[in-house]
Amino acid sequence: GASPALMGYCAEHNVPITFMTKNGRFLARVIGESKGNVVLRKTQYRLSDCESQSAALARNFILGKVYNQKWMLERITRDYPMRIDVER
């Protein structure tokens, strides 16, 4: 347990507190002030309502992920070359 004073102190200093059961099941979390960009969030929700704009965003996300994976594979094969002996 934690006193309200301790939870307030932790919230003011951005120290998150998580409450769990004895078996490790999540109960609650106390975190400090949440700072977010409200305008950005509103724009994201507005774009999610339009199917064509959502599809364009999803396409860009997927292209970015494919590009990053390709780059990682190239780097790994360059940094850690595997020697494969093929006997015929």
Side-chain angles (χ1 to χ4, degrees):
S3 70
L6 175 62
M7 290 193 308
Y9 179 84
C10 290
E12 288 173 2
H13 292 88
N14 293 321
V15 177
I17 301 173
T18 304
F19 294 95
M20 313 283 269
T21 66
K22 290 181 181 180
N23 295 326
R25 199 182 74 146
F26 175 80
L27 290 173
R29 180 176 336 164
V30 178
I31 53 176
E33 182 181 348
S34 177
K35 296 179 182 171
N37 188 335
V38 176
V39 176
L40 173 63
R41 195 74 58 237
K42 283 180 158 182
T43 303
Q44 289 171 333
Y45 279 116
R46 193 169 42 254
L47 289 174
S48 71
D49 290 336
C50 179
E51 192 171 317
S52 63
Q53 289 179 334
S54 292
L57 285 172
R59 177 182 176 271
N60 288 335
F61 293 151
I62 293 168
L63 286 174
K65 288 184 175 292
V66 169
Y67 173 81
N68 286 337
Q69 289 300 310
K70 178 182 177 285
W71 182 84
M72 283 182 59
L73 287 171
E74 288 174 353
R75 187 177 125 218
I76 289 169
T77 56
R78 181 183 64 241
D79 292 349
Y80 303 99
M82 293 189 299
R83 187 175 138 199
I84 301 173
D85 293 329
V86 179
E87 293 183 26
R88 293 184 183 182

